[in-house]
């Protein structure tokens, strides 16, 4: 299958980050000797299977350049150290470390010492050449000290997509950083040794803090695992329901969409939320929640993308044509700075009204979980109504083998002209094409032709369902 985010990944090796060849310094904590080889292999298997919370934690600090005229991000601490790697592994790690510094401080060298700085949390995605993804969670804060000083960033790299859980972990990291850098290591060691909980379960981490004694930190994984990386409140806090529909319509047809905001957390949360609206389909193209200034030329790519760009770089974006540029800022004059112009006519009018009606049922005071459930069901119901009958049009020969999707019969079976018009466009997208390719490769079973209404009944794809078998994996379970 075509690899996702090729444009972005191919550009990483050519990036130049000054002084990245310097040895990463380990400030205060000293790590104990590693476990026995057999235990190490067992731990590696646990991480590879997704049972570890994280791969590693790095601290990215802003250091003055040699001429003292500006700052540059450098990794000053890494836990655990990655020793004994083969040459190609070291090369891949070096690329990853370069990417981390860029995403933790996408502003580049535009920094000055500060006396006050409100910490912020955001996330990004690192996509490998084979299409696999790792998540970066970042907490930027002002380190302890007196006088003006630049902020620093703590970044956790993990195969797990669970923004809320890692935000809580960062709260603990920040609390310990205020005491001493050395206090972070034992907590992260305990966390790394703990098994990642199943959906709805809790893991408890014991951690000692001077003057406070031993604390027990409870980390609970949300029950709706495929939405645990998503908070729709941010999306609907920045856009009206009608505006969200226009963005959804453009995403469904795989258009180029740029989101503009000042806050990094807003950009990352909104982009992940928009991608989640497509469930059970997957966004198959470039997705960069925060575009570093040095990578701003990615907006020139002719292929579909979801990009988050800081507002100060807006002038470098709007000279492109055929874009949907969405301003998420509180002080915005217009939400859509640029658009193709037909976004309001992409979705069938009747189904648009049904989505809006479903969205109106949510309460502003509802929990994140309740908000996620209402929103996800509203958009899942849209796909049920438009393409939920796909299973009846995948035909298998008596001798077995791969199925064949009867595209023409599929969309001709739709009674509504407006719905049929939309479906004819949607089935030409890579999103639908890769979905149906996987369906064709599956063996026919009792669920293959069942209607998607059963998905809606179990709350958005939990339990057994005839949907994309890898949807939950990519969305974070």
């Amino acid at each position: 299958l075509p690899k996702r985010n090729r444009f972005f990944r191919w550009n990483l090796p050519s990036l130049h980050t000054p002084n990245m060849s310097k040895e990463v310094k380990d400030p205060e904590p000293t790590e104990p000797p590693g476990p026995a080889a057999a235990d190490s292999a067992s731990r590696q298997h646990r991480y590879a299977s997704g049972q570890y919370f994280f791969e590693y934690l790095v601290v990215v600090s802003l250091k003055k350049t040699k001429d003292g005229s500006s700052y540059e991000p450098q990794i000053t601490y890494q836990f655990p150290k990655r020793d004994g790697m083969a040459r190609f592994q070291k090369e891949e790690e070096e690329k990853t470390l370069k990417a981390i510094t860029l995403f933790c401080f996408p502003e580049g060298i535009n920094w000055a010492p500060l006396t006050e700085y409100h910490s912020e949390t955001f996330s990004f995605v690192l996509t490998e050449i084979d299409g696999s993804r790792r998540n970066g969670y970042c907490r930027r804060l002002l380190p302890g000290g007196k006088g003006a000083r630049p902020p620093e960033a703590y970044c956790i790299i993990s195969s797990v997509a669970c923004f809320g859980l890692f935000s809580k972990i960062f709260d603990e990291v920040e609390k310990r950083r205020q005491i001493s850098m050395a206090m972070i290591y034992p907590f992260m060691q305990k966390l790394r040794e703990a098994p990642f909980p199943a959906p709805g379960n809790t893991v408890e981490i014991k951690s000692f803090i001077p003057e406070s004694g031993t604390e027990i930190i409870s980390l609970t994984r949300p029950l709706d695992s495929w939405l645990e990386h998503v908070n729709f409140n941010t999306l609907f806090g920045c856009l009206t329901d009608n505006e969200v529909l226009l963005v959804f319509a453009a995403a469904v047809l795989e258009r180029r969409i740029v989101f503009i905001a000042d806050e990094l957390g807003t950009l990352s949360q909104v982009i992940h939320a928009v991608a989640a609206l497509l469930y059970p389909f997957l966004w198959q193209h470039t997705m960069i929640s925060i575009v570093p200034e040095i990578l701003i030329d990615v907006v020139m790519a002719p292929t579909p993308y979801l990009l988050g760009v800081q507002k100060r770089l807006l002038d470098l974006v709007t000279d492109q044509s055929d874009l949907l540029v969405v301003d998420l800022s509180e002080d915005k004059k217009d939400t859509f700075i640029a658009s193709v112009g037909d976004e309001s006519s992409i979705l069938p009018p009747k189904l648009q009204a049904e989505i809006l009606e479903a969205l109106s049922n949510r309460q502003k005071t509802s929990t994140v979980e309740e908000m996620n459930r209402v929103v996800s069901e509203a958009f899942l119901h849209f796909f049920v109504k438009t393409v939920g009958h796909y299973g009846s049009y995948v035909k298998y020969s008596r001798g077995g083998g791969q199925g064949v999707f009867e595209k023409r019969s599929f969309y001709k079976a739709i009674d509504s002209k407006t719905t049929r018009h939309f479906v004819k466009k949607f089935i030409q997208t890579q999103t639908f094409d890769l979905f149906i390719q996987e369906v064709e490769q599956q063996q026919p079973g009792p669920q293959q032709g069942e209607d998607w209404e059963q998905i809606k009944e179990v709350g958005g794809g939990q339990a057994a369902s005839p949907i994309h078998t890898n949807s939950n994996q990519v969305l974070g379970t």
Side-chain angles (χ1 to χ4, degrees), residues 49-287:
S49 63
Q51 296 177 27
Y52 270 139
F53 270 89
F54 67 98
E55 185 175 349
Y56 50 79
L57 163 77
V58 298
V59 179
V60 182
S61 303
L62 289 171
K63 299 294 184 180
K64 277 192 174 182
T65 55
K66 289 182 179 180
D67 60 9
S69 61
S70 59
Y71 287 88
E72 61 187 18
Q74 297 179 21
I75 293 178
T76 54
Y77 176 69
Q78 178 178 337
F79 167 78
K81 291 296 181 64
R82 317 245 310 167
D83 300 321
M85 294 187 297
R87 181 176 178 179
F88 78 92
Q89 291 175 316
K90 290 182 179 179
E91 292 175 350
E92 283 301 307
E93 172 145 312
E94 188 71 11
K95 295 175 186 176
T96 299
L97 295 178
K98 286 182 180 181
I100 289 173
T101 62
L102 290 174
F103 286 114
C104 287
F105 289 98
E107 300 88 345
I109 63 175
N110 298 313
W111 284 97
L114 305 169
T115 55
E116 293 184 2
Y117 182 81
H118 295 290
S119 63
E120 57 183 332
T121 306
F122 54 93
S123 65
F124 55 87
V125 176
L126 299 175
T127 304
E128 307 299 335
I129 294 177
D130 64 359
S132 62
R133 296 181 177 182
R134 288 186 291 175
N135 302 283
Y137 302 93
C138 186
R139 170 71 61 90
R140 289 204 320 203
L141 52 88
L142 200 61
K146 296 181 179 180
R149 55 208 182 276
E152 63 185 9
Y154 290 74
C155 183
I156 294 175
I157 301 299
S158 175
S159 62
V160 176
C162 192
F163 185 85
L165 205 58
F166 282 94
S167 293
K168 186 172 182 179
I169 291 170
F170 275 129
D171 291 341
E172 298 297 330
V173 169
E174 186 170 355
K175 181 167 65 175
R176 284 156 180 76
R177 178 64 181 93
Q178 293 172 354
I179 302 173
S180 167
M181 183 73 182
M183 293 303 303
I184 298 175
Y185 163 69
F187 169 68
M188 296 304 293
Q189 177 68 22
K190 290 284 187 180
L191 183 67
R192 186 169 167 79
E193 292 172 350
F196 190 70
N201 289 3
T202 299
V203 64
E204 293 184 342
I205 309 293
K206 291 184 178 180
S207 179
F208 176 79
I209 296 182
E211 299 182 3
S212 298
T214 300
E215 291 186 352
I216 298 179
I217 299 142
S218 297
L219 299 171
T220 302
R221 188 177 177 189
L223 185 59
D224 294 329
S225 57
W226 73 278
L227 285 172
E228 61 191 351
H229 196 54
V230 178
N231 183 345
F232 285 121
N233 280 314
T234 304
L235 174 64
F236 285 89
C238 295
L239 304 177
T240 67
D241 292 3
N242 281 292
E243 290 168 345
V244 170
L245 268 187
L246 298 181
V247 173
F248 171 71
V252 165
L253 292 192
E254 299 181 329
R255 294 185 174 177
R256 301 191 300 162
I257 308 175
V258 177
F259 296 92
I260 303 293
D262 295 310
E263 299 80 14
L264 303 181
T266 298
L267 289 174
S268 63
Q269 290 184 46
V270 165
I271 284 187
H272 283 291
V274 170
L277 294 179
L278 301 176
Y279 183 85
F281 299 97
L282 308 176
W283 179 259
Q284 301 288 348
H285 306 279
T286 300
M287 185 175 75

Side-chain angles (χ1 to χ4, degrees), residues 351-369:
L351 296 183
Q352 286 192 59
E354 290 182 1
I355 294 177
L356 292 173
E357 182 180 359
L359 292 176
S360 68
N361 293 327
R362 74 184 189 279
Q363 298 178 358
K364 292 184 179 180
T365 57
S366 63
T367 63
V368 171
E369 290 75 15

